[in-house]
PDB file of all heavy atoms in Angstrom:
ATOM      1  N   ASP A   7     -14.109  26.055 204.052  1.00 48.00           N
ATOM      2  CA  ASP A   7     -13.563  27.192 203.334  1.00 48.00           C
ATOM      3  C   ASP A   7     -12.976  26.814 201.979  1.00 48.00           C
ATOM      4  O   ASP A   7     -12.417  27.639 201.285  1.00 48.00           O
ATOM      5  CB  ASP A   7     -12.483  27.882 204.175  1.00 48.00           C
ATOM      6  CG  ASP A   7     -11.384  26.905 204.593  1.00 48.00           C
ATOM      7  OD1 ASP A   7     -11.679  25.705 204.724  1.00 48.00           O
ATOM      8  OD2 ASP A   7     -10.252  27.358 204.810  1.00 48.00           O
ATOM      9  N   VAL A   8     -13.086  25.542 201.591  1.00 43.00           N
ATOM     10  CA  VAL A   8     -12.568  25.095 200.306  1.00 43.00           C
ATOM     11  C   VAL A   8     -13.616  25.347 199.239  1.00 43.00           C
ATOM     12  O   VAL A   8     -14.798  25.104 199.437  1.00 43.00           O
ATOM     13  CB  VAL A   8     -12.217  23.592 200.350  1.00 43.00           C
ATOM     14  CG1 VAL A   8     -11.835  23.099 198.957  1.00 43.00           C
ATOM     15  CG2 VAL A   8     -11.069  23.362 201.314  1.00 43.00           C
ATOM     16  N   HIS A   9     -13.173  25.860 198.094  1.00 46.00           N
ATOM     17  CA  HIS A   9     -14.098  26.168 197.001  1.00 46.00           C
ATOM     18  C   HIS A   9     -14.848  24.905 196.576  1.00 46.00           C
ATOM     19  O   HIS A   9     -14.243  23.847 196.380  1.00 46.00           O
ATOM     20  CB  HIS A   9     -13.309  26.719 195.803  1.00 46.00           C
ATOM     21  CG  HIS A   9     -14.182  27.327 194.755  1.00 46.00           C
ATOM     22  ND1 HIS A   9     -14.898  26.568 193.867  1.00 46.00           N
ATOM     23  CD2 HIS A   9     -14.460  28.619 194.483  1.00 46.00           C
ATOM     24  CE1 HIS A   9     -15.577  27.357 193.069  1.00 46.00           C
ATOM     25  NE2 HIS A   9     -15.334  28.609 193.417  1.00 46.00           N
ATOM     26  N   PRO A  10     -16.182  24.971 196.413  1.00 48.00           N
ATOM     27  CA  PRO A  10     -16.961  23.788 196.043  1.00 48.00           C
ATOM     28  C   PRO A  10     -16.474  23.131 194.752  1.00 48.00           C
ATOM     29  O   PRO A  10     -16.514  21.920 194.609  1.00 48.00           O
ATOM     30  CB  PRO A  10     -18.381  24.351 195.858  1.00 48.00           C
ATOM     31  CG  PRO A  10     -18.407  25.619 196.639  1.00 48.00           C
ATOM     32  CD  PRO A  10     -17.023  26.165 196.599  1.00 48.00           C
ATOM     33  N   GLY A  11     -16.011  23.956 193.795  1.00 46.00           N
ATOM     34  CA  GLY A  11     -15.534  23.405 192.541  1.00 46.00           C
ATOM     35  C   GLY A  11     -14.326  22.504 192.756  1.00 46.00           C
ATOM     36  O   GLY A  11     -14.162  21.501 192.064  1.00 46.00           O
ATOM     37  N   PHE A  12     -13.472  22.865 193.736  1.00 39.00           N
ATOM     38  CA  PHE A  12     -12.310  22.027 194.012  1.00 39.00           C
ATOM     39  C   PHE A  12     -12.740  20.689 194.570  1.00 39.00           C
ATOM     40  O   PHE A  12     -12.261  19.640 194.181  1.00 39.00           O
ATOM     41  CB  PHE A  12     -11.384  22.731 195.005  1.00 39.00           C
ATOM     42  CG  PHE A  12     -10.328  21.809 195.550  1.00 39.00           C
ATOM     43  CD1 PHE A  12      -9.309  21.374 194.739  1.00 39.00           C
ATOM     44  CD2 PHE A  12     -10.381  21.356 196.858  1.00 39.00           C
ATOM     45  CE1 PHE A  12      -8.347  20.520 195.227  1.00 39.00           C
ATOM     46  CE2 PHE A  12      -9.430  20.515 197.342  1.00 39.00           C
ATOM     47  CZ  PHE A  12      -8.403  20.084 196.530  1.00 39.00           C
ATOM     48  N   ARG A  13     -13.705  20.717 195.516  1.00 46.00           N
ATOM     49  CA  ARG A  13     -14.176  19.470 196.093  1.00 46.00           C
ATOM     50  C   ARG A  13     -14.772  18.595 195.001  1.00 46.00           C
ATOM     51  O   ARG A  13     -14.660  17.382 195.001  1.00 46.00           O
ATOM     52  CB  ARG A  13     -15.200  19.768 197.188  1.00 46.00           C
ATOM     53  CG  ARG A  13     -15.458  18.571 198.097  1.00 46.00           C
ATOM     54  CD  ARG A  13     -16.384  18.943 199.246  1.00 46.00           C
ATOM     55  NE  ARG A  13     -15.724  19.724 200.267  1.00 46.00           N
ATOM     56  CZ  ARG A  13     -16.103  20.948 200.614  1.00 46.00           C
ATOM     57  NH1 ARG A  13     -17.124  21.514 200.008  1.00 46.00           N
ATOM     58  NH2 ARG A  13     -15.483  21.596 201.564  1.00 46.00           N
ATOM     59  N   HIS A  14     -15.412  19.250 194.016  1.00 45.00           N
ATOM     60  CA  HIS A  14     -16.005  18.542 192.884  1.00 45.00           C
ATOM     61  C   HIS A  14     -14.929  17.865 192.042  1.00 45.00           C
ATOM     62  O   HIS A  14     -15.091  16.738 191.586  1.00 45.00           O
ATOM     63  CB  HIS A  14     -16.785  19.554 192.039  1.00 45.00           C
ATOM     64  CG  HIS A  14     -17.412  18.973 190.811  1.00 45.00           C
ATOM     65  ND1 HIS A  14     -18.430  18.047 190.857  1.00 45.00           N
ATOM     66  CD2 HIS A  14     -17.174  19.197 189.495  1.00 45.00           C
ATOM     67  CE1 HIS A  14     -18.784  17.724 189.630  1.00 45.00           C
ATOM     68  NE2 HIS A  14     -18.036  18.413 188.782  1.00 45.00           N
ATOM     69  N   VAL A  15     -13.781  18.538 191.850  1.00 41.00           N
ATOM     70  CA  VAL A  15     -12.712  18.000 191.011  1.00 41.00           C
ATOM     71  C   VAL A  15     -12.036  16.802 191.646  1.00 41.00           C
ATOM     72  O   VAL A  15     -11.771  15.807 190.996  1.00 41.00           O
ATOM     73  CB  VAL A  15     -11.664  19.099 190.693  1.00 41.00           C
ATOM     74  CG1 VAL A  15     -10.424  18.498 190.065  1.00 41.00           C
ATOM     75  CG2 VAL A  15     -12.271  20.136 189.776  1.00 41.00           C
ATOM     76  N   VAL A  16     -11.752  16.874 192.949  1.00 41.00           N
ATOM     77  CA  VAL A  16     -11.001  15.793 193.580  1.00 41.00           C
ATOM     78  C   VAL A  16     -11.856  14.567 193.819  1.00 41.00           C
ATOM     79  O   VAL A  16     -11.348  13.494 194.084  1.00 41.00           O
ATOM     80  CB  VAL A  16     -10.372  16.249 194.916  1.00 41.00           C
ATOM     81  CG1 VAL A  16      -9.401  17.377 194.694  1.00 41.00           C
ATOM     82  CG2 VAL A  16     -11.432  16.646 195.927  1.00 41.00           C
ATOM     83  N   SER A  17     -13.166  14.697 193.720  1.00 46.00           N
ATOM     84  CA  SER A  17     -14.035  13.537 193.812  1.00 46.00           C
ATOM     85  C   SER A  17     -14.181  12.940 192.418  1.00 46.00           C
ATOM     86  O   SER A  17     -13.589  13.397 191.459  1.00 46.00           O
ATOM     87  CB  SER A  17     -15.411  13.944 194.333  1.00 46.00           C
ATOM     88  OG  SER A  17     -16.091  14.724 193.379  1.00 46.00           O
ATOM     89  N   ASN A  18     -14.989  11.940 192.296  1.00 47.00           N
ATOM     90  CA  ASN A  18     -15.238  11.331 190.992  1.00 47.00           C
ATOM     91  C   ASN A  18     -16.444  11.944 190.312  1.00 47.00           C
ATOM     92  O   ASN A  18     -16.989  11.395 189.366  1.00 47.00           O
ATOM     93  CB  ASN A  18     -15.462   9.821 191.152  1.00 47.00           C
ATOM     94  CG  ASN A  18     -14.170   9.105 191.474  1.00 47.00           C
ATOM     95  OD1 ASN A  18     -13.116   9.477 190.972  1.00 47.00           O
ATOM     96  ND2 ASN A  18     -14.243   8.079 192.320  1.00 47.00           N
ATOM     97  N   GLU A  19     -16.885  13.094 190.799  1.00 47.00           N
ATOM     98  CA  GLU A  19     -18.060  13.734 190.233  1.00 47.00           C
ATOM     99  C   GLU A  19     -17.693  14.675 189.088  1.00 47.00           C
ATOM    100  O   GLU A  19     -18.563  15.273 188.483  1.00 47.00           O
ATOM    101  CB  GLU A  19     -18.788  14.540 191.314  1.00 47.00           C
ATOM    102  CG  GLU A  19     -19.243  13.684 192.498  1.00 47.00           C
ATOM    103  CD  GLU A  19     -19.733  14.548 193.638  1.00 47.00           C
ATOM    104  OE1 GLU A  19     -19.797  15.778 193.452  1.00 47.00           O
ATOM    105  OE2 GLU A  19     -20.055  14.009 194.687  1.00 47.00           O
TER     106      GLU A  19
END
Side-chain angles (χ1 to χ4, degrees):
D7 56 332
V8 173
H9 192 283
F12 168 70
R13 196 175 285 120
H14 178 66
V15 169
V16 299
S17 69
N18 287 324
E19 301 170 5

